């Protein structure tokens, strides 16, 4: 088993394969979400109730607090419908971009060109996507939940939130991107000397 993980060529192939499989899984998730949302009937919209937990009575005797629910709405107007669709698809699109980044990096590493311009650009785009997604995803999900609740007569009000895990992942990838950018510059400079 240790031999499997010590083979650098195999590790790079596994990284590229994992990226490719994640892209495929992401495409399947997009199709699934489109099938559930496009008809605009019984569209599942997750609602985060963490700010305002709701008490539930279970079996007539036990109580519990709901901090997240999924409501099903139909016949959403064009604005709320577009927001619900975007809120459902954006996390998967972000996952696909990260997976494409791993696939491109795997291909570059396999060819021995660690500082290929496409790798540096891909990391830059992916880091930006993660940072922007860390704000856009929870905001869109909050607006979608608010729109879905408003369509059934409940006022909730979205809040601006940040997904700190995505934000930190974007910052970390941005740091790696900066290191790769400097490596690419050094490689270009040394190629000019030889």
């Amino acid at each position: 088993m240790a031999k499997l993980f010590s083979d650098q060529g195999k590790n790079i192939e596994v990284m590229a394969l994992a990226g490719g499989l994640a892209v495929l899984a992401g495409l399947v998730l997009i199709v699934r979400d489109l099938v559930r949302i496009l008809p605009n009937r019984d569209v599942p919209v997750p609602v985060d109730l963490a700010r305002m937990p709701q008490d539930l009575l279970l079996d007539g005797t036990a109580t519990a607090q709901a901090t997240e629910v999924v409501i099903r709405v139909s016949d959403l107007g064009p604005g709320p419908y577009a927001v619900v669709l975007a809120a459902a698809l954006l996390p998967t699109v972000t996952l696909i971009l990260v997976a494409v980044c791993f696939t491109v990096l795997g291909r570059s590493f396999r060819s021995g060109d660690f500082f290929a311009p496409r790798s540096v650009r891909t990391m830059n785009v992916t880091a930006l996507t993660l940072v922007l997604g860390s704000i856009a995803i929870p905001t869109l999900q909050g607006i979608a939940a608010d729109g879905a609740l408003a369509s059934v007569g409940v006022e909730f009000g979205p809040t601006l939130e940040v997904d700190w895990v995505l934000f930190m992942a974007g910052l970390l990838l941005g740091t790696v991107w900066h290191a790769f950018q400097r490596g690419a510059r050094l490689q270009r400079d040394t190629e000019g000397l030889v």
Side-chain angles (χ1 to χ4, degrees), residues 15-63:
M15 186 171 91
L17 179 65
L21 288 174
V23 168
L24 184 63
L27 293 174
V28 168
L29 290 174
I30 285 176
V31 169
R32 182 203 65 184
D33 288 341
L34 288 174
V35 166
R36 291 180 358 186
I37 296 171
L38 284 180
N40 203 4
R41 287 185 312 275
D42 294 327
V43 176
V45 181
V47 178
D48 183 12
L49 299 173
R51 294 182 291 141
M52 191 187 303
Q54 302 294 311
D55 290 328
L56 299 175
L57 188 60
L58 304 174
D59 292 333
T61 57
T63 59

Side-chain angles (χ1 to χ4, degrees), residues 47-178:
V47 178
D48 183 12
L49 299 173
R51 294 182 291 141
M52 191 187 303
Q54 302 294 311
D55 290 328
L56 299 175
L57 188 60
L58 304 174
D59 292 333
T61 57
T63 59
Q65 275 196 341
T67 57
E68 186 176 315
V69 296
V70 175
I71 64 168
R72 296 193 179 275
V73 291
S74 298
D75 301 322
L76 288 167
Y81 180 72
V83 171
V84 166
L85 189 61
L89 297 180
L90 190 57
T92 307
V93 170
T94 303
L95 166 75
I96 289 174
L97 281 172
V98 172
V100 166
C101 178
F102 273 90
T103 305
V104 169
L105 287 175
R107 286 186 61 209
S108 294
F109 291 176
R110 187 161 182 5
S111 67
D113 192 5
F114 294 98
F115 303 112
R118 71 178 174 269
S119 298
V120 176
R121 279 191 306 273
T122 302
M123 276 193 280
N124 184 21
V125 168
T126 307
L128 269 170
T129 301
L130 288 172
V131 169
L132 294 175
S134 71
I135 298 166
I137 290 171
T139 300
L140 277 174
Q141 289 171 340
I143 293 170
D146 187 50
L149 287 170
S151 73
V152 295
V154 177
E155 293 298 322
F156 194 64
T159 59
L160 179 64
E161 294 186 23
V162 176
D163 183 331
W164 291 106
V165 173
L166 277 183
F167 186 80
M168 292 307 294
L171 286 182
L172 289 173
L173 189 59
T175 304
V176 173
W177 164 75
H178 183 68

